[in-house]
Amino acid sequence: MSLAPFLEGCRRRVDDRLAELVPPPGHPPGVVTRPLHFALTSPGKRIRPALLFAVGGLFKAKDESLLDTACAVEMIHASSLVFDDLPSMDAADLRRGRPTVHKQFGEAMAILAGLDLLHRAFGVLAAEASRRRGYPLAEMVTLLSGAIGVSGVVGGQAVDLTSEPAGVDLATLEFIHSHKTGALFIAAAEAGGLLAGARPAERTAIVNYAKNLGLAFQITDDLLDAVGTPESTGKTTGLDRNKATFVSFLGIEGARRLAGELTGFAEECLAPFGDRGELLVSLARFVRDRSS
Ligand code: GRG
């Protein structure tokens, strides 16, 4: 299958299911269900669920066996965006072409909605395990909670927020990005492999692919912050102006080159899968070339 219809199909399936997994916006207490609904159902790319589907599909898992886990990953991602946009973090006003959750609903309700989403994700996994015999709940919770915590997204974000730009070297920058962004890409890919029963060597290849992909994704994010506009990206741009980024280290062309190299490495990790890896190759190229 070519990438565009695959991404569109994933997005549609995930959007439909996400809307079922949260209470409708009018559900009491509306003060928090409205921001919760808004944060989750606003139009994101759903690339982490797509990665999970693509990896699961590589090992012949059926889409319906992947869907709720993919939605849980998207809930974790959506909660991280709500927190990231807060005044104490990135202080962003625009996300997915709309005002950020705290701008629209206030900081306290944004925090509460983010907390609901984060915990709801694990409730979704538990519900899935009670429906599906053999669902690897313990491994999945270990995988996703590890990706979120201090050894993953939270750790990367903490170093990012507390580092003085002048004191950040390339190794620190790679640490920040591979944790705050890469960890959830890796977990999404591993979750697909786990659900599909991939063998250990296959899972290692997939993790190496996702490491390169996640880092490339953050570099293209840095590029979009530097050269994109709020209209083209749907979010506040220029937020990184006083931060150390791959663009500030390498310049626009250098950052583009590095994103290209990393997606090339990601593709090399797929060699053991031959033609079956084509969709994941296309996904890597999409990440390299994306404009939003
Ligand atoms: C609750 C997991 C969790 C963490 C709390 C706030 C925080 C600690 C970490 C911030 C992590 C973060 C938001 C990193 C940036 C990742 C990134 C490049 C986001 C943009 O992702 P896209 O482009 O967004 O996939 P859409 O809108 O398409 O979903």
Side-chain angles (χ1 to χ4, degrees):
M1 183 191 256
S2 62
L3 189 70
F6 166 77
L7 288 178
E8 178 55 20
C10 289
R11 197 188 54 68
R12 200 164 324 119
R13 236 171 304 137
V14 168
D15 282 351
D16 289 351
R17 185 66 181 137
L18 287 175
E20 293 171 355
L21 290 170
V22 280
H27 190 281
V31 282
V32 68
T33 47
R34 270 190 294 276
L36 168 65
H37 200 268
F38 178 85
L40 189 63
T41 61
S42 60
K45 290 183 287 298
R46 315 302 189 209
I47 191 149
R48 294 154 192 82
L51 174 59
L52 193 155
F53 277 113
V55 171
L58 176 67
F59 302 111
K60 304 268 181 286
K62 293 219 162 36
D63 284 353
E64 58 271 24
S65 71
L66 306 170
L67 180 58
D68 278 20
T69 308
C71 287
V73 169
E74 185 64 20
M75 285 179 182
I76 294 167
H77 167 61
S79 80
S80 80
L81 297 181
V82 174
F83 292 129
D84 192 42
D85 289 336
L86 289 172
S88 56
M89 298 211 193
D90 268 8
D93 293 345
L94 190 70
R95 167 79 66 187
R96 295 174 168 172
R98 300 174 177 184
T100 48
V101 180
H102 69 273
K103 274 278 153 190
Q104 186 134 324
F105 299 96
E107 199 174 336
M109 291 309 117
I111 291 171
L112 292 175
L115 282 172
D116 178 297
L117 280 173
L118 195 52
H119 291 84
R120 187 173 293 271
F122 289 91
V124 168
L125 299 180
E128 180 73 341
S130 69
R131 278 192 303 266
R132 265 178 213 285
R133 258 168 49 121
Y135 184 87
L137 182 63
E139 290 106 308
M140 196 60 80
V141 169
T142 305
L143 175 64
L144 293 180
S145 61
I148 293 168
V150 291
S151 303
V153 181
V154 165
Q157 178 80 345
V159 176
D160 191 16
L161 290 174
T162 54
S163 297
E164 283 299 322
V168 174
D169 56 15
L170 261 183
T172 310
L173 193 59
E174 188 174 332
F175 174 91
I176 292 169
H177 287 350
S178 62
H179 286 75
K180 84 168 193 180
T181 302
L184 202 52
F185 272 81
I186 296 168
E190 274 207 274
L194 175 62
L195 291 177
R199 290 194 297 268
E202 294 170 329
R203 280 176 66 180
T204 303
I206 288 302
V207 166
N208 289 333
Y209 164 83
K211 276 185 186 159
N212 286 296
L213 186 77
L215 200 49
F217 189 88
Q218 181 58 55
I219 295 172
T220 50
D221 202 72
D222 288 353
L223 280 162
L224 291 173
D225 183 83
V227 302
T229 61
E231 291 72 31
S232 65
T233 63
K235 54 188 185 177
T236 314
T237 52
L239 287 173
D240 295 342
R241 216 166 280 134
N242 300 314
K243 281 171 77 172
T245 67
F246 279 99
V247 172
S248 65
F249 264 99
L250 304 173
I252 302 285
E253 281 318 310
R256 280 212 177 101
R257 215 169 18 251
L258 183 57
E261 274 170 28
L262 289 166
T263 49
F265 296 151
E267 289 179 29
E268 285 169 19
C269 299
L270 300 170
F273 307 115
D275 289 349
R276 286 165 52 221
E278 258 171 29
L279 195 59
L280 288 169
V281 168
S282 307
L283 191 62
R285 293 179 186 170
F286 168 81
V287 163
R288 180 192 64 196
D289 301 335
R290 72 198 182 99
S291 57
S292 67

